[in-house]
Amino acid sequence: MAEPHLIGEAMTGGYGRGADILHGCTLSVDKGEIAVIVGPNGAGKSTAMKAVFGMLNLREGAVRIGGEDITHLSPQDRVAKGMAFVPQTSNIFPSMTVEENLEMGAFLRRDDIRPTIEQVYDLFPILRDKRRQAAGELSGGQRQQVAVGRALMTQPSVLMLDEPTAGVSPIVMDELFDRIIEVARAGITILMVEQNARQALEIADKGYVLVQGANAYTGTGAELMADDEVRRTFLGG
Amino acid sequence: MTARGFLLYAGMALLIVLTGMFQGWNLALTILNMGLISAIMSLGVNLQWGFAGLFNVGVMGFVALGGLAAVLVAQPPVAEGWNAGGLRLLGALALGAAILVGAVQVWKRKIGGRMRALVMLALLIGGFFLFRASLDPAVDAIEAINPSLSGYLGGLGLPIIVAWPVGGLLAAGAAWIIGKAALGLRSDYLAIATLGIAEIVIAVLKNEDWLSRGVKNVVGLPRPVPYEVDLQRDEGFIATAAGYGLDPVTASTLWVKILYSGLFAVVLIVILFLAQRALASPWGRMMRAIRDNEVAASAMGKNVTARHLQVFILGSAVCGIAGAMMTTLDGQLTPGSYQPLRFTFLVWVMVIVGGSGNNYGAVLGGFLIWWLWVMVEPLGLWAMELITSGMDADSWLRGHLTDSAAQMRLMTMGIILLAVLRFSPKGLMPER
Amino acid sequence: MTDFLNAIVALSNFVLVPGAAYGAQLALGALGVTLIYGILRFSNFAHGDTMAFGTMATILVTWGLQSIGISFGFLPTALIALPIGIAITGLLLLGTDRAIYRFYRKQKAAPVVLVIVSIGVMFVMNGLVRFIIGVGDVNFADGARFVINAREFKEMTGLDEGLAIRTTTLITLVTAAIAVALLFWFLNKTRTGKSMRAFSDNEDLALLSGINPERVVAVTWLIVAALATTAGVLYGLDKSFKAFTYFQLLLPIFAAAIVGGLGNPLGAIAGGFVIAFSEVLITYAWKKVLVYLMPENLEPSGLVQLLSTDYKFAVSFAILITVLLFKPTGLFKGQSV
C-alpha cells in the first residue's frame, strides 16, 4: 500500500516535561480524504492533532507529509510545508476585517493572493458580503468560516481542524460540514477532531477512536458507525 | 534568617561602620537614620508587592501624607486662623464630603438609568460650586493672617510621636479610597491610579496653604528628642561627653542622632515583627496563595479583592508611618521636595534588590540602597575626576562631566535594578 | 454682538487653541504607549523619559545645525533636526530592546515584571538625559514666534480681544496630523502594518500565519521612537524642555491611553484630546470670557477658575478613575479589563 499523504506514526509524548499523554498513537490520511478523531473527554484527541502539527515534543514516533519526515520542524515551518491548522478558540484576528484576516493567512505568500481570496469567497459566500466588517463582530458560525478561510489561504495540502463546530447551532454545523466536504473534494486532506462524533463520522472517510492517548478503533466512518461496541461506548447507543 | 542573611546584614553593618571611620560618624548616623526609615517604607511596599503582588507606585503620596500628619498633630494651633475661618472651613469640608456621599447614594439607587446619572451629575456640579463658595472665603480669611509666618490653621499641639500612627491612619484612608476604585482591575491600572493619587497629594500639600502652608513650608516642628543647644548647656552631658573625649558640640549632634536611631529602630523592629508574624499566619499564607494563583484562590471562595484591599491599606499605612517619621527627623515639611523618583521608585529598587516577599530582604534593601544613594554622588564625582584627570583643566568636556556627576545617581539605581532583575530576580535574600 | 464675538475669540485664544495643541501632543504620546501595550503587552513607564531623550537628541542636533549656520526660515530649526533625533532614539530603543526587554520576552515573563523592568529603563534614561543636557529649562524654539499675533488680530478685526496663533501651535497641529495620518496609513494599508495589528490581536495565530514576532517588535519600537520624539519635540517647542516635566507627562499620557482604551490607536487620539480639553477647561480662569457674556451688574468678581492650574493632574486623574469605574476597557474598546 502506498504511503498516505499525511501520517503521524506511533506518536508518544506530552506537553513540556509533563507525563506522556499519547501512547503510540497513529493517525494517517490519504490525499483528499476526511479523517475524524473522536473519543471520550481527555482521550488526547486535540493533543494527537497538535502532535501532528508540532505543538508538542514527541519522544517517539514520526510525522511525515508526502513522504517527507517533518518530525522535527516547528509549527511555522510545517505551515510552509503545506499544513494549515484551525485552533478551537481564538482562531481569528477579531479587530481586523474579514479580508484582512484572509490576507494575514497568506502572510508567507509572495505571489498574487487575489484568486485564493476569491476561492474562499466562493466557498463561503457570506464572507464576501462581510469582507469589510471586523471579524470579531460576526456570528459564531461566520467566525468559524473566517477561521477556515484564513487557514486555506496558504493553499495547504492538509487542513487540520480542532472541533470546528464547538458552540455553533446544528444548522450551522451541517452547513460547515458540507463546506468541509467541498474542501476535501478540491483535493485537500482533512484531519479534524470532533465532539459531535455521530455527524462527523457520517462524513468521514476514516475514523479514529482514541482512548487514553492510544488507538482504540480505526475504520471507515461507516464501519465505526456500524460497530456495536463503538456505538454503545462512544456514540450513546 | 539564613547564614547568607546574617552575612549580608553583617556586611551592611560593616559598610556603615566603615563610612563612620572614614567619613565621620555624623554622616554614618545620618545614613543609618534614613536607612531605618527607608527600611520601613520598603517593608510597606514589600507587604503589598511581596505578599500580594500589588503594584503600588504612589509610595510618595502616602509618605507625604505621613509628613502632613506630623504638621497637623505637632504644630501649635493658630488661634487667629481658627477664629478667622476655622469652623467655616471645617463646615465647608463637611459639606463637600456630604455631597460626595450623597452622589454615591444616588448612584447606588437602582432607579431609572438616565435619570440617576443626571441627578448625580447635577448634584456633583451644583455641589462643587456650593462647596467652593463656602470654602473659598474661609480659606482667604485664614491665609490672610500673617502669611509670612503662619497663614494656616496649625495643628493640635500634641507630641510629635503621636503623628506617627496618625500618619499611618491618613495614608490608610487614602489607600482605602484608591483601593476601592482600582483594585480588582488589572495591575497596570492600579499602578497608574496610585501614580496619580501621589501627584494629587503633593499638589494639595503645595497649594492648600491653610493646611500645610504650601510651598512656604512648615519649619521648626517640635522634636521627640532634646535640642543640641540644650544639651550643650547641660552640665551633666558636658561631663559625660568629656569622659568619652568629645567636645560638647560634636557629642550633642551625635547623641541626638543616636536617640533618633533608637526611636526609629524600635518602630522598625515592631513593624518587622508584626510583618513576620503576618507572613507566617494563615492570613499571610492565604495572601501568598492569592498572589501565586488568583483564579484558584477565588475559586476556593476567597474574596480576592477584599483581601487585596486589606493588604493595600496596611502597606500604605506603613509607608505613612515612615513618612511621618521622616518629617520628624527633618524637622520640617517641604512639599516641594517630594520627587517620585526619590520617594516611589527608589523604594521599589530597595524592595526588588533586597528580595521581594522576604521582610528581612526588604529591610536590608532599604539600608543598602539608601547607603548607595548617598554614596554614589561622591563616588561618581571621584570617578569623573579620575576619568577626566588626563584632560585639560579648563576643557569644556571635563567641566561638563564633573558637573554632571551628581546625575549619576539615577543611572546607577536604574542599572542596579536592571542587573538584579536580570541576574538575580529574587533579590539578595530570596523568599524561601 | 461684538461682545459675543469677543467672548468667542477669548475662548479660542485661551482654551480652544492651546487645548488643541496640548491634546495633539498628548495624543502622540498616548499612541506610543498604546502601541507598546498592544504589541509588547506592558505599560511602559519609561515612555516619558523616551520622549525626553528624543527631544534631547533633537535639541543637540538643532544646536549643531545652528552652529554651522543652518536654519529653517520662519520655522524652528528643530524640525530639520527631528528626523535625526528620531533615528537616534530609534537606535536607543532597539538597543534597549535587544539588551533588556528581549530576555523577558523569551522567558514569557508576566506583564508586571516588564513594567518593573521599564522602571529600571526609566531610571537609566532619565539619568542619561540629566547627565547629558542637565536639569534646567532649555528653550530651543527659533524662527517666527507668531503666525498671527494678538495686536495684528485686533487691528484686522477691530475686536477688543486678540487671537494669537503661535507658530509652534500651528506646527504642532500640522505635524501631529501628518504623523497620525502616516501611522494609520501604515497600520491599515501596508503588509507590515497589518501584521502588527494581527500580532496585537492574536499573537498565537499570528505566529501560525508565519508573522515574525521579532520583526514586529522591532518595527514597533521604531514607530514608538518616531511618535515619542515627535511628541516630545512639539511639547518642548510649545513650552520648553525640562527632563522632569517629561516624566510628569506620564500621568496624562497614560490617562489618555486608558481613557481611549489601551491598545486602541484611535482611542489614544480621542483620549489625548479628552484629557487635554478637560485640563484646560477646568483650570482656565473663565472671567475673561464671562465678562463679555454677562450683563454688567452680574460680572464675576473672582477669576471663575474651577481649580487652580496646579491641580491639572487631578483632572486627568479624576477622568481616569471615572472611566476605570464605569468603563474599564475605555471609551473605545481596548484590549484589557
Side-chain angles (χ1 to χ4, degrees):
Chain A
M1 197 178 122
E3 162 104 1
H5 182 63
L6 172 73
I7 180 162
E9 202 164 37
M11 300 182 295
T12 302
Y15 295 100
R17 293 206 183 82
D20 286 348
I21 298 170
L22 299 177
H23 305 281
C25 169
T26 296
L27 303 169
S28 73
V29 210
D30 281 323
K31 196 160 177 55
E33 272 191 354
I34 298 175
V36 174
I37 309 172
V38 297
N41 282 332
K45 302 187 295 284
S46 289
T47 310
M49 186 146 82
K50 285 175 180 167
V52 174
F53 194 56
M55 290 166 89
L56 62 156
N57 294 332
L58 289 183
R59 286 200 303 108
E60 285 164 31
V63 182
R64 288 188 299 276
I65 184 166
E68 189 184 349
D69 189 348
I70 55 166
T71 316
H72 301 290
L73 292 185
S74 70
Q76 282 88 332
D77 292 336
R78 291 183 201 215
V79 172
K81 293 283 176 202
M83 293 176 102
F85 178 63
V86 180
Q88 184 183 349
T89 53
S90 326
N91 48 20
I92 54 165
F93 300 112
S95 83
M96 304 179 84
T97 65
V98 169
E99 187 144 319
E100 284 172 336
N101 265 275
L102 299 183
E103 287 172 27
M104 285 302 110
F107 189 78
L108 284 175
R109 285 175 57 185
R110 285 292 179 176
D111 53 338
D112 185 14
I113 59 170
R114 269 321 312 173
T116 321
I117 291 184
E118 284 308 319
Q119 281 167 19
V120 171
Y121 286 159
D122 291 340
L123 187 63
F124 303 116
I126 187 76
L127 296 188
R128 193 194 306 273
D129 303 335
K130 308 237 171 198
R131 62 184 198 261
R132 302 255 171 268
Q133 214 170 320
E137 294 166 1
L138 303 181
S139 71
Q142 290 165 352
R143 287 156 74 129
Q144 289 298 4
Q145 297 183 6
V146 174
V148 174
R150 186 207 64 84
L152 289 173
M153 286 304 294
T154 48
Q155 294 181 312
S157 64
V158 174
L159 179 65
M160 302 201 288
L161 305 148
D162 193 353
E163 300 201 13
T165 62
V168 303
S169 69
I171 298 169
V172 176
M173 181 173 79
D174 288 345
E175 159 92 24
L176 213 65
F177 279 152
D178 286 347
R179 295 290 158 261
I180 290 170
I181 295 172
E182 222 171 294
V183 172
R185 294 233 176 90
I188 296 175
T189 304
I190 296 198
L191 177 64
M192 73 177 171
V193 169
E194 256 304 329
Q195 282 286 358
N196 301 308
R198 187 180 289 272
Q199 291 87 337
L201 286 177
E202 273 170 15
I203 67 161
D205 298 304
K206 207 170 215 174
Y208 290 94
V209 179
L210 296 195
V211 176
Q212 297 194 339
N215 297 70
Y217 301 92
T218 305
T220 65
E223 278 167 14
L224 289 178
M225 296 277 279
D227 187 314
D228 283 344
E229 182 74 12
V230 173
R231 285 230 323 255
R232 199 163 42 74
T233 329
F234 304 112
L235 304 179
Chain B
M1 231 193 305
T2 56
R4 175 194 167 97
F6 274 113
L7 271 180
L8 285 167
Y9 267 83
M12 189 60 235
L14 187 68
L15 278 181
I16 291 178
V17 170
L18 285 177
T19 311
M21 283 163 59
F22 288 101
Q23 292 179 283
W25 290 101
N26 198 13
L27 177 66
L29 282 172
T30 311
I31 295 180
L32 177 67
N33 281 341
M34 267 313 289
L36 286 162
I37 292 175
S38 302
I40 296 177
M41 293 180 190
S42 176
L43 270 178
V45 172
N46 186 40
L47 214 55
Q48 297 172 337
W49 170 245
F51 280 33
L54 296 179
F55 196 48
N56 172 10
V57 284
V59 183
M60 174 179 75
F62 300 112
V63 168
L65 279 176
L68 178 64
V71 170
L72 294 185
V73 166
Q75 279 300 90
V78 179
E80 299 93 323
W82 278 102
N83 291 337
L87 291 179
R88 251 190 301 163
L89 187 128
L90 289 186
L93 290 182
L95 176 70
I99 291 165
L100 280 183
V101 171
V104 171
Q105 289 306 320
V106 170
W107 186 252
K108 277 187 179 161
R109 288 277 172 83
K110 295 265 178 253
I111 40 155
R114 191 166 290 262
M115 195 60 201
R116 177 178 68 162
L118 283 178
V119 169
M120 188 182 76
L121 217 59
L123 189 63
L124 279 178
I125 293 173
F128 178 78
F129 284 103
L130 207 64
F131 169 66
R132 284 291 298 265
S134 54
L135 181 77
D136 289 358
V139 167
D140 290 342
I142 294 168
E143 290 178 358
I145 291 172
N146 197 1
S148 61
L149 285 177
S150 68
Y152 76 131
L153 286 176
L156 301 171
L158 296 171
I160 197 158
I161 299 261
V162 178
W164 300 1
V166 172
L169 285 179
L170 275 187
W176 180 76
I177 295 175
I178 198 74
K180 273 287 186 190
L183 284 173
L185 299 171
R186 45 171 294 135
S187 54
D188 310 43
Y189 286 5
L190 179 69
I192 308 295
T194 49
L195 190 73
I197 197 93
E199 291 293 343
I200 289 176
V201 167
I202 302 300
V204 168
L205 290 193
K206 277 186 185 165
N207 289 291
E208 299 307 315
D209 287 15
W210 59 268
L211 183 69
S212 60
R213 297 201 71 224
V215 285
K216 288 179 288 186
N217 302 340
V218 178
V219 293
L221 290 171
R223 278 183 173 185
V225 296
Y227 285 86
E228 285 87 347
V229 279
D230 295 332
L231 287 177
Q232 286 159 23
R233 279 196 230 104
D234 184 340
E235 298 292 331
F237 182 78
I238 296 175
T240 325
Y244 288 98
L246 291 168
D247 66 283
V249 177
T250 319
S252 61
T253 352
L254 291 181
W255 180 239
V256 167
K257 291 209 158 77
I258 290 172
L259 285 175
Y260 271 123
S261 308
L263 280 175
F264 294 164
V266 169
V267 177
L268 173 62
I269 289 167
V270 169
I271 293 180
L272 180 61
F273 173 76
L274 291 176
Q276 278 300 93
R277 285 291 297 272
L279 187 63
S281 71
W283 181 83
R285 279 199 299 277
M286 178 177 64
M287 266 322 168
R288 280 174 291 155
I290 291 176
R291 176 195 65 187
D292 294 338
N293 194 339
E294 234 169 79
V295 179
S298 81
M300 277 156 59
K302 308 290 180 204
N303 187 343
V304 174
T305 309
R307 298 297 137 241
H308 275 171
L309 188 63
Q310 265 177 359
V311 81
F312 185 66
I313 289 175
L314 279 178
S316 303
V318 171
C319 290
I321 295 172
M325 290 164 61
M326 192 184 70
T327 304
T328 309
L329 178 66
D330 291 342
Q332 55 182 356
L333 180 69
T334 50
S337 66
Y338 288 95
Q339 303 281 335
L341 285 172
R342 154 74 184 85
F343 283 100
T344 295
F345 296 108
L346 193 66
V347 179
W348 269 92
V349 178
M350 293 169 181
V351 175
I352 304 276
V353 168
S356 42
N358 183 331
N359 288 322
Y360 292 114
V363 170
L364 178 74
F367 281 111
L368 181 63
I369 294 301
W370 181 253
W371 183 85
L372 272 173
W373 179 256
V374 177
M375 284 308 179
V376 161
E377 212 173 315
L379 284 178
L381 195 62
W382 176 77
M384 279 304 154
E385 273 166 1
L386 196 72
I387 293 170
T388 58
S389 58
M391 298 184 193
D392 256 347
D394 49 305
S395 99
W396 169 83
L397 189 61
R398 179 170 190 172
H400 180 78
L401 285 179
T402 13
D403 286 348
S404 309
Q407 314 300 338
M408 291 289 287
R409 272 181 171 177
L410 294 173
M411 226 186 299
T412 316
M413 289 305 145
I415 291 169
I416 289 173
L417 178 62
L418 289 175
V420 168
L421 282 172
R422 174 74 175 260
F423 300 109
S424 168
K426 287 172 181 294
L428 290 174
M429 294 176 70
E431 176 189 8
R432 265 159 297 162
Chain C
M1 187 59 201
T2 350
D3 273 353
F4 184 68
L5 283 179
N6 271 322
I8 299 257
V9 170
L11 185 72
S12 314
N13 194 30
F14 295 104
V15 176
L16 299 183
V17 172
Y22 182 42
Q25 291 150 8
L26 285 188
L28 288 182
L31 273 174
V33 166
T34 231
L35 276 184
I36 296 180
Y37 188 88
I39 303 289
L40 289 120
R41 297 172 213 287
F42 71 96
S43 303
N44 182 15
F45 270 69
H47 197 73
D49 289 295
T50 308
M51 282 165 62
F53 181 90
T55 315
M56 178 196 72
T58 310
I59 291 176
L60 294 182
V61 176
T62 308
W63 286 346
L65 289 174
Q66 284 168 341
S67 70
I68 54 170
I70 296 179
S71 72
F72 202 2
F74 70 98
L75 294 171
T77 318
L79 284 187
I80 312 180
L82 183 60
I84 309 173
I86 290 175
I88 297 171
T89 315
L91 286 179
L92 176 85
L93 290 187
L94 287 182
T96 316
D97 185 69
R98 177 59 72 88
I100 297 163
Y101 292 120
R102 194 161 75 160
F103 172 78
Y104 300 95
R105 198 160 56 241
K106 295 272 176 254
Q107 286 199 325
K108 299 207 184 302
V112 73
V113 172
L114 278 161
V115 174
I116 297 178
V117 171
S118 82
I119 289 177
V121 173
M122 172 188 82
F123 265 109
V124 175
M125 280 191 186
N126 195 300
L128 207 60
V129 171
R130 289 173 182 227
F131 189 78
I132 297 177
I133 208 167
V135 289
D137 255 318
V138 181
N139 211 322
F140 61 102
D142 55 4
R145 250 177 80 60
F146 290 101
V147 177
I148 181 166
N149 71 24
R151 193 173 45 81
E152 287 167 2
F153 184 87
K154 285 181 200 165
E155 279 168 8
M156 249 160 52
T157 56
L159 291 173
D160 293 339
E161 281 297 325
L163 176 65
I165 298 189
R166 297 168 56 200
T167 321
T168 53
T169 311
L170 204 64
I171 292 174
T172 296
L173 291 174
V174 172
T175 316
I178 295 174
V180 168
L182 276 178
L183 177 68
F184 277 79
W185 171 80
F186 178 80
L187 288 178
N188 288 318
K189 297 290 173 210
T190 66
R191 209 171 98 93
T192 312
K194 285 180 189 172
S195 73
M196 278 175 63
R197 283 168 52 218
F199 189 86
S200 159
D201 252 19
N202 188 337
E203 192 175 333
D204 293 331
L205 197 63
L207 295 178
L208 283 185
S209 307
I211 293 169
N212 178 355
E214 289 304 308
R215 194 176 125 84
V216 167
V217 166
V219 172
T220 307
W221 282 119
L222 287 177
I223 295 174
V224 167
L227 288 169
T229 308
T230 310
V233 168
L234 293 177
Y235 187 85
L237 281 174
D238 209 14
K239 280 127 190 162
S240 72
F241 173 78
K242 192 177 181 188
F244 185 63
T245 323
Y246 279 66
F247 167 78
Q248 285 190 312
L249 277 179
L250 205 56
L251 185 61
I253 284 178
F254 266 115
I258 294 178
V259 165
L262 265 178
N264 183 328
L266 257 181
I269 297 171
F273 284 101
V274 166
I275 296 287
F277 275 110
S278 331
E279 272 190 17
V280 176
L281 286 175
I282 291 182
T283 58
Y284 175 61
W286 284 91
K287 179 175 182 175
K288 232 165 146 79
V289 174
L290 291 180
V291 284
Y292 292 110
L293 296 181
M294 301 270 216
E296 208 132 306
N297 51 356
L298 279 179
E299 270 176 27
S301 54
L303 290 170
V304 204
Q305 188 180 16
L306 295 181
L307 277 176
S308 112
T309 13
D310 300 283
Y311 285 122
K312 60 175 194 235
F313 291 120
V315 177
S316 14
F317 181 74
I319 296 172
L320 176 67
I321 291 293
T322 317
V323 169
L324 286 188
L325 283 178
F326 297 109
K327 214 164 185 305
T329 48
L331 300 178
F332 292 70
K333 203 166 164 301
Q335 284 183 333
S336 66
V337 177

